[in-house]
Amino acid sequence: MPVGRTAPALAALLLLSCAPKRTAPPQISISGAWSRATVAGQSTAAVYLTIANKGGGDDKLLNASTPIGQATLHSSTMDGGVMRMRPLEALDIPAQSTFQLKPGGTHIMVAGVKQPLIGGSSFPLALHFDRSGDRRINVDVRPASTAGESM
Ligand SMILES: [Cu+2]
């Protein structure tokens, strides 16, 4: 029965092609990290950046940390005309893909910011990846007047 013999083999092949690409390494690069200058009394900031994975393996952004406050991954959704943010457990960065954290979408929320963020300055941020480990970058603070978009 040739059909009965090939079916399990085909199923195994399909399973293999759908499995996460764990063998090849990911190749993560981060660019364009920015945040908006804070106004008086504002103790939160949102960080936007682009993550590219040019490697052959999947990766995952697990969380981030910065000396200026407590960083959390957030997603944004519109709910009846109101923007709502919720914590994200992790962010998948599949092989050969680029993901943009941007205003109105996924971002890194920083709470408990004690020092004002001033346009033209920058602050350090570490991104923690499942497979690529820690990546340290600098976040450029853009003046509030030129940012022009809502969170
Ligand atoms: Cu947020």
Side-chain angles (χ1 to χ4, degrees), residues 21 52-55 57-60 92-99:
K21 302 180 189 86
N53 182 0
K54 294 196 172 73
D58 301 337
D59 209 339
K60 213 180 260 196
D92 285 319
I93 311 291
Q96 300 292 319
S97 75
T98 299
F99 190 92

Side-chain angles (χ1 to χ4, degrees), residues 46 74 76 85 107 109 151:
H74 267 187
S76 300
M85 306 189 294
H107 55 277
M109 200 82 210
M151 192 187 285

Side-chain angles (χ1 to χ4, degrees), residues 29-104:
S29 61
I30 296 137
S31 59
W34 69 279
S35 184
R36 193 174 286 120
T38 55
V39 296
Q42 183 185 347
S43 61
T44 57
V47 176
Y48 312 106
L49 46 82
T50 300
I51 304 170
N53 182 0
K54 294 196 172 73
D58 301 337
D59 209 339
K60 213 180 260 196
L61 176 61
L62 301 175
N63 50 47
S65 57
T66 173
I68 72 158
Q70 295 86 49
T72 317
L73 287 173
H74 267 187
S75 66
S76 300
T77 47
M78 285 301 281
D79 185 1
V82 179
M83 187 73 82
R84 294 193 189 283
M85 306 189 294
R86 58 190 61 169
L88 260 184
E89 217 164 274
L91 182 63
D92 285 319
I93 311 291
Q96 300 292 319
S97 75
T98 299
F99 190 92
Q100 203 180 358
L101 285 76
K102 55 177 191 280

Side-chain angles (χ1 to χ4, degrees), residues 95-122:
Q96 300 292 319
S97 75
T98 299
F99 190 92
Q100 203 180 358
L101 285 76
K102 55 177 191 280
T106 305
H107 55 277
I108 296 165
M109 200 82 210
V110 185
V113 179
K114 288 184 181 70
Q115 302 289 327
L117 298 180
I118 296 164
S121 67
S122 68

